[in-house]
Amino acid sequence: MFPRLKPYRSRAWLANVHEIENCVLCGRPGIQAAHSNQERGMSQKASDCLTAALCPECHGEIDNGRDMNRDERRARMNEAIVRTLDQLARRGLVRAV
């Protein structure tokens, strides 16, 4: 098991996520930088680099939806984070150094 690290915080990272205009899951305009809920307690956010560009509807469905169980919600969020990283890389907002 990995040791628990202090969450990574970066306003620049969140600003880059907000450069994505449309939800990475459904394509609707108007996104929120939605943090992963894995490995965090109540009112504790995950690292900023574990965010997804989601519309309010998809964000709410992943956080509180009744149509998916916990594992399905986590898998959907992980998919959204990967798609967000893909968009950031394609825009040159995250790159290898």
Side-chain angles (χ1 to χ4, degrees):
M1 181 109 181
F2 294 106
R4 254 199 182 174
L5 301 174
K6 183 178 177 183
Y8 169 76
R9 297 289 174 237
S10 172
R11 289 178 191 252
W13 185 278
L14 295 176
N16 287 345
V17 172
H18 281 283
E19 291 287 319
I20 302 170
E21 303 88 7
N22 297 337
C23 178
V24 296
L25 293 178
C26 73
R28 281 186 276 238
I31 66 101
Q32 302 171 339
H35 287 78
S36 171
N37 291 330
Q38 294 185 52
E39 307 221 5
R40 293 288 146 206
M42 294 292 283
S43 74
Q44 291 182 326
K45 294 201 180 290
S47 293
D48 289 343
C49 57
L50 297 176
T51 53
L54 296 177
C55 68
E57 292 83 5
C58 287
H59 188 185
E61 185 64 28
I62 288 172
D63 278 354
N64 303 308
R66 301 188 198 295
D67 295 333
M68 294 183 278
N69 65 37
R70 184 182 71 177
D71 291 336
E72 291 169 329
R73 288 194 310 270
R74 284 183 174 180
R76 191 75 167 141
M77 178 54 109
N78 289 341
E79 176 186 359
I81 291 169
V82 168
R83 288 183 180 196
T84 298
L85 288 170
D86 180 64
Q87 287 292 314
L88 293 173
R90 290 173 186 272
R91 294 164 185 250
L93 296 171
V94 63
R95 58 187 164 81
V97 292

